[in-house]
Amino acid sequence: MAIVKVSGIETEYGILARGTESNPVLASSLLINAYIEANSPDVEHDVPAWNFDDEQPDIDARGFSLESAMPPEVEMHLVNAVLTNGARYYVDHAHPEISTPECANAWETLIYDCAGEEIIRQSMAAVNRTLPSGVEMLLYKNNSDGKGNSYGCHENFLVARDVPFGRIVSQITPHFVTRQVFAGAGKVGSEMLGVSAEQVPFQMSQRADFFEEEVGLETTLKRPIVNTRDEPHCDPQKYRRLHVIVGDANMSQVATFLKVGTTSLILSLIEDDVLGADLTLAHPVSAIRQVSYDPTLKQTLLMANGSRMTAMEIQWALFQKSVNYVKSVGFDSVGGEIIGQRILDLWEEVLTGLDHDPESVADMVDWIAKKRIVDGMQSRHGLSHGDSRLKAIDLQYHDMRAEKCLATRAGLRTLVESAHVERAILHAPDTTRAYFRGQCLERWPDQVVSANWDCLVLDVGRGPLRRVPMMEPLRGTKDLVGQICSESQTLLELLDRLGAEK
Amino acid sequence: MAERVQKQKSNSERVAEEVVSSEASSQQGEKLKAELDDLLDEIDDVLESNAEDFVKSYIQKGGE
């Protein structure tokens, strides 16, 4: 029986400081600090810092490490904050990055991804109030600058440790290659050397140009379709965290929900070993570009068994296997029946629409919504492939300024009520250990010395600092500790009562 | 059995339905086109005024 697919999304935003010589690291730090100061103006304490003790991004899930591989470095000197909603907000390389808190299902993950966008908008407004006139900071939720530089939107999924990693790699790959038919954010042109704007005027995915390996540890060079970073941020005897680097950042809520929801489902099938190997691709790396470069959705891909299938046929096969799976096993691993059925319904709706008339799902799929605008502007103004105005449309689709964003004008379907997003900006989900982290940060911010995903270090006012490990992602929830939290007057009382409960 | 009989439709009914649905889809097509025109008008207004400079200045460092 597959375990609950606790999930989250880490998004690196593009950042541009206009009207000044821009250093993106400094710009990102200013942005995040402006948000933190705007949200805690009276606070005299230091903002709780991130604790790096347990960060080991160079451990490989395959159980070995490649001498030549370059493990990602953890940058400890940059701004790094943990928010009351349980999220982490920090400078990663030269980008501001928000990691959602741990969410119990795809629906919650969507809500916290939307909250992340709002936090970015609020940060942008806050920092721009402090900048001299003529200087402005702009943020973009995309994955490429159109000049060969890419930055990521990574998903994370909780997987049982006893599932052989080789099975995950081989069986999730067909989904990672083909889910871009509904989850691709679209891109004008290609960033592959030697591929012209005439050859690829528009492609489905922001990221497909950047993948060179089927599997590996890297995230910045020779990017792999399946990333092997083995850093579970929870009990390593019981769990893995599958770190997914292949996806695009989505503006469409439907796309974000489906990207996480369908992947949670397929991982459940793999965990219960019912997916099978019949959808294995012969050449996944070339296939991911082949799919991305084919907005007609008609090209076939060579399968390992010698047959040929379109990306749509592979998606329909994955959908059908998922339908059969939930008939016997149910929706427990993906958030229960209401959320699970919603994943299936939207998945079926989007695939049906793509088969019938791709324009009909322009309200669900980013690449189609974007392509509709690009094609419309191209024919209205008689622009050639490669015209700067088409590339500007591509960038501006992802603009975080409400008055400039094209995605918000494109008629995308809204799934989440704004009140739920508002709540998620400040408060953690009730359903995972993020609840306990969020409660401590909301109520006793000056006593939280440091925090990370799987532990808190707390100063209870006397004696040594107390380290609270949180190795179980589904403990520390409102159901389990909500009453004790609300009844405790002090942090010391809370810890004593939690200790007594154990 | 009764259900199946009920579901069977005469040829003329089917033709009539197809006509209605093709009219609906052409109306739908007109509506979509008008919507797209409005959308493009709006986008012409909000698009960065100097697209070439904007695109050139958008340089990011690789991340992740």
Side-chain angles (χ1 to χ4, degrees), chain A residues 362-364 372 406-414, chain B residues 39:
Chain A
D363 63 335
M364 304 171 83
R372 192 164 164 255
L406 302 190
T408 53
R409 294 172 160 75
L412 294 170
R413 201 182 294 181
T414 303
Chain B
L39 174 64

Side-chain angles (χ1 to χ4, degrees), chain A residues 12 95 147 207 401 409, chain B residues 42 48 55 58 61 64:
Chain A
E12 292 178 350
H95 299 269
K147 300 167 184 72
R207 294 274 284 169
R401 291 171 296 176
R409 294 172 160 75
Chain B
E42 195 183 343
E48 294 286 342
V55 170
Y58 191 82
K61 290 203 169 160
E64 309 172 57

Side-chain angles (χ1 to χ4, degrees), chain A residues 231-243:
Chain A
E231 194 185 14
H233 295 313
C234 55
D235 185 344
Q237 307 294 320
K238 293 167 73 175
Y239 307 114
R240 289 179 190 287
R241 171 180 65 114
L242 185 69
H243 182 236

Side-chain angles (χ1 to χ4, degrees), chain A residues 12 14-16 18 93 95 140 142 145 147 149-152 154 207 219-220 223 373 377 380-381 388 395-396 401 404 409, chain B residues 32-33 35-49 51-52 54-64:
Chain A
E12 292 178 350
I15 184 163
L16 189 63
R18 189 179 266 180
H93 298 272
H95 299 269
Y140 296 82
N142 61 4
D145 68 356
K147 300 167 184 72
N149 302 309
S150 186
Y151 32 100
H154 300 172
R207 294 274 284 169
T219 58
T220 55
R223 293 181 180 89
I373 298 171
M377 293 299 269
R380 173 181 276 202
H381 298 294
S388 295
L395 290 173
Q396 227 178 298
R401 291 171 296 176
K404 287 287 184 185
R409 294 172 160 75
Chain B
L32 279 175
K33 193 176 172 307
E35 276 173 10
L36 180 62
D37 277 340
D38 289 347
L39 174 64
L40 296 182
D41 286 344
E42 195 183 343
I43 285 171
D44 266 329
D45 286 343
V46 300
L47 213 53
E48 294 286 342
S49 52
E52 200 172 338
F54 168 52
V55 170
K56 261 191 202 151
S57 72
Y58 191 82
I59 299 171
Q60 299 293 306
K61 290 203 169 160
E64 309 172 57

